[in-house]
Structures are given as structure tokens and as C-alpha cells.
Amino acid sequence: MMWRIFLSLVLAAVVLQGTEPLSDEDGPLVLDYYREQCPLAEEIVSRSVAVAVAKDPRMAASLLRLHFHDCFVMGCDASVLLDSYGGITSEKQAGPNHKSLRGFKVVDEIKYLLEEACPGTVSCADILALAARDAVALRGGPRWNVWLGRRDSLEASFSGANQFIPAPNSSLETLIANFKQQGLDIGDLVALSGSHTMGKAQCLSFRQRVYDVQLRGEYELHDKYKRYTTFRRILRSICPESGRDHELAPLDHQTPTRFDNLYYINLLQGKGLLGSDNVLVTQDDEGEIVKQVWAYASNEKLFFASFAESMIKMGNINVLTGSHGEIRKNCRFVNT
Ligand code: HEM
Ligand SMILES: *[C@@H]1O[C@H](CO)[C@@H](O)[C@H](O)[C@H]1NC(C)=O
């Protein structure tokens, strides 16, 4: 009797294994995709990212953001890497990207090494997904599995970049709608916003947040805390009401280069740098988001697990696989 139960369990397990897709994310991507064709691919990416981040710690943030800006415009297809050429108007010229996105040269270097090792094999879109993962891990954040096999787009979308990359002065409602368009929910919005635990923003990205009474209004309450007032005074000294548009401030004033959960502690103290950070706690009428912010602020492990899960989800947005797209030889141009 026991035997029969045991046997049927084993059989069931075997059958299940046979029908389960390789990826437990249920997407078209695959773990260890380059094992046969380019066994060193992941290693080449991680070493290059480590070198780049050692030279410039902010590069970790920049590479993470690059993957985000890729995925939100036509999906994770490296469209963001294309330069203007022929019929293509580069997404790099779009409002949210111009004089702001960084890391293109690092991606070029990685692609160069990969083309040396295994020509025409590893997509630029996969490079972005891997580099983002490695960048986060290098600064003390979580590590997650990256399902691979993305192919590169044959086009870019300048208008898409203007339309789909959220603006720092968006309302909470707009941010939620923006993420929803990408198949991401409020939980993903709150977890992925935690990316702003590292990197920098320009004065023009947070000016409205430190001067505009409307944006400030809801947390006027905090003014009685001197620390908060000091925070705003410092930001105003970095970023005057006009001019010095490109002056930089850290997104996380406490640990600007570490990937940790201090972003959420900042939010609760009214010290999120961008308007889009602050609205998570100031415009959350139902209180669900604030609850999540509290949870992440008090439990870094929980934040790391949610972040990893949401990054995998983001990395699956509208990926090109099979016969769609191509493997670009140069990430800046479609193959001729
Ligand atoms: C929720 C909506 C979001 C808005 C409105 C937003 C907006 C911004 C803005 C305005 C900047 C500064 C750009 C500049 O001044 O040059 C920035 C920086 C950054 N963002 Fe976001 N972002 C959002 C979500 C995300 C997500 C989902 C990620 C990653 C998964 C991310 C990662 C980053 C990183 C790492 C930086 C710093 C980049 C660097 O230092 O080079 N952001 N973001
Ligand atoms: C957000 O900023 C842009 C560019 O500075 C501006 O045109 C727009 O009116 C602002 N939107 C809101 C809701 O304040």
C-alpha cells in the first residue's frame, strides 16, 4: 500500500517535471540560456560590471536604471541603446533620458568582450538585465536569477520614451497607472522605487519638489521637525529656483552608494528626494502603500525579496524571443 502511494508520488513528480516549463516565471525566457553557446557570458558581464563600478560607484545605479528605461519602452529589447541612425530616432534624446541616462560605454565594452568570446550570440537586452542584477549585488543588494534569451529590437521609440518613462513630478495615481500599463502592480511600484536607494538626480528633477507649495503641501506637517526643514534647506542650496539644472544630489542622502532599505526610512521622514518618491507616502489614501513602506523600512530582507521578485517581473516585459528581433552585433545599431 505504502509502496503504491510512494510510486504514484514519484510518477506524478516525474510527469510534472516533464510538463513544467523551464522557467518558473512562466515566461518565454530560460535560466542558463547561454550555457551551451557562450558559457562565460554571465561571468564576462559580472566582471565587467565589477570593474566599471570599482572605477565609478554611481555606475551601479546607472546600469540598474538603464534596464528599467529599456523595459518600459517597447519591452526589454535594448531599444534604449540604439543611436539615431537611418530611420531611427534614438530614445536617448527623449526628455527622461537626455543628459541623464548613463552607462552606454560600459555596455559597449561588455558587448565587445562578448563578441570576442562568442560572436552574434548574447543579446544587448540580456546584457542590460544581467548588468542590472550584478550592479545591485555589488552595492550590497540582493541577487536574483536572470532568465535569459531576450532578443534585440529592430527599432527604437522616441515617443514611447517620452510617454512611458514616469516623470518625477507624477501623482501617485499617475505612477500606478504607468506601472499598470506595463503589467506591474502597486506592490511592484513600491518595491522597484527602492532602486532610489542609490544613485543621483539632477536639480531639474527635484526642484519642483523642494519649491512647489502644491507638492509640498501634504507634508507641511513635517515642518515642525527641524531635521526635515534642514533637509529642504540643503536641497535648496544645491538647487536654486532657477539655474544649476544639472547639479546633483543623492537619491538616498544617508547611504548614497549602498543598496539597502534606507530609501524607505527616508520616505517615512519626508526625505525622499523626488516628488515621485514622496507621493508614495503623502498621497496614499488607503494606507496600503504606507504599510508596505513601513514593512520594508523595518525589514530589509523582506524588501530584498520583493525587489528581486519585481525585477524579474520587470525583466519579462514584452521580451522578443524566437524569430523576433535579432542579436545585435553592436548595441548602438541594428545589424545591416
Ligand atoms: C516610480 C517611478 C520612477 C520615477 C518617476 C523615476 C524618476 C527618476 C529620476 C527623475 C531620476 C533622476 C534622473 C536625473 O535627474 O538625471 C531617477 C534616477 C534613478 N532611477 Fe528612477 N524613477 C522611477 C522608478 C525607477 C525604477 C523602477 C528604477 C529601477 C528599477 C529606477 C532606478 C533609478 C536609479 C538607479 C537612478 C539613479 C541613476 C544614476 O545615478 O545614474 N527608478 N529616477
Ligand atoms: C511636471 O514637470 C513638467 C516639466 O518640468 C511640467 O511641464 C509639468 O507641468 C509638471 N507637471 C505637474 C503635474 O506639475
Side-chain angles (χ1 to χ4, degrees), residues 58 60-65 68-69 72 96 99-102 165-170 175 179 189 192-193 195-196 198-205 248 251 274 276 307 311 314:
R58 185 185 170 197
S62 306
L63 289 170
L64 171 58
R65 185 170 184 234
F68 161 51
H69 282 217
F72 268 52
K99 292 190 175 168
S100 179
L101 273 191
R102 309 167 74 238
I165 305 293
N169 61 353
S170 308
L175 292 175
F179 272 61
L189 167 66
L192 292 176
S193 292
S195 297
H196 294 168
M198 56 180 191
K200 294 176 181 175
Q202 304 172 76
C203 166
L204 51 78
S205 302
L248 296 168
L251 283 158
L274 304 178
S276 55
F307 185 80
M311 281 299 290
M314 186 180 88

Side-chain angles (χ1 to χ4, degrees), residues 34-266:
Y34 295 110
R35 188 174 42 198
E36 302 286 322
Q37 295 163 287
C38 194
L40 287 179
E42 296 199 31
E43 174 103 13
I44 289 172
V45 175
S46 69
R47 288 192 180 205
S48 307
V49 171
V51 170
V53 170
K55 273 194 222 154
D56 169 13
R58 185 185 170 197
M59 192 48 71
S62 306
L63 289 170
L64 171 58
R65 185 170 184 234
L66 210 42
H67 181 44
F68 161 51
H69 282 217
D70 180 28
C71 293
F72 268 52
V73 182
M74 303 196 312
C76 313
D77 59 359
S79 59
V80 71
L81 299 178
L82 290 171
D83 283 348
S84 291
Y85 184 80
I88 286 169
T89 307
S90 177
E91 294 172 19
K92 297 172 188 179
Q93 308 306 319
N97 297 339
H98 187 58
K99 292 190 175 168
S100 179
L101 273 191
R102 309 167 74 238
F104 299 111
K105 286 198 182 124
V106 174
V107 175
D108 286 341
E109 279 162 29
I110 297 172
K111 181 60 173 171
Y112 173 82
L113 294 174
L114 287 170
E115 286 299 300
E116 294 266 282
C118 5
T121 306
V122 182
S123 69
C124 300
D126 278 347
I127 293 175
L128 291 179
L130 288 168
R133 184 267 307 270
D134 296 335
V136 168
L138 274 169
R139 303 317 302 172
R143 227 191 118 76
W144 57 90
N145 287 324
V146 178
W147 277 262
L148 298 166
R150 297 168 188 79
R151 290 167 65 84
D152 300 324
S153 72
L154 303 172
E155 54 189 351
S157 179
F158 172 83
S159 60
N162 281 320
Q163 187 184 343
F164 296 116
I165 305 293
N169 61 353
S170 308
S171 67
L172 179 60
E173 200 182 358
T174 303
L175 292 175
I176 292 171
N178 186 290
F179 272 61
K180 196 169 172 189
Q181 270 181 314
Q182 306 288 347
L184 300 176
D185 59 28
I186 298 179
D188 298 314
L189 167 66
V190 181
L192 292 176
S193 292
S195 297
H196 294 168
T197 176
M198 56 180 191
K200 294 176 181 175
Q202 304 172 76
C203 166
L204 51 78
S205 302
F206 61 85
R207 175 180 288 128
Q208 199 182 347
R209 179 259 191 272
V210 286
Y211 289 99
D212 191 312
V213 182
Q214 278 252 297
L215 265 181
R216 245 174 47 206
E218 290 97 338
Y219 38 87
E220 212 60 23
L221 190 82
H222 291 268
D223 276 33
K224 60 174 178 260
Y225 299 110
K226 192 146 179 355
R227 277 192 308 176
Y228 174 65
T229 320
T230 307
F231 178 68
R232 202 168 62 209
R233 199 170 55 234
I234 292 170
L235 290 180
R236 285 180 172 188
S237 74
I238 296 170
C239 184
E241 267 190 284
S242 67
R244 287 202 246 159
D245 280 0
H246 305 293
E247 210 67 37
L248 296 168
L251 283 158
D252 168 4
H253 73 99
Q254 297 202 71
T255 53
T257 62
R258 268 198 80 71
F259 195 99
D260 53 27
N261 66 339
L262 290 186
Y263 168 80
Y264 298 99
I265 295 170
N266 294 338

Side-chain angles (χ1 to χ4, degrees), residues 6 19 21 29 86 184 229 236 254 277 283:
F6 178 66
T19 54
L29 303 178
L184 300 176
T229 320
R236 285 180 172 188
Q254 297 202 71
D277 298 321
Q283 294 182 358

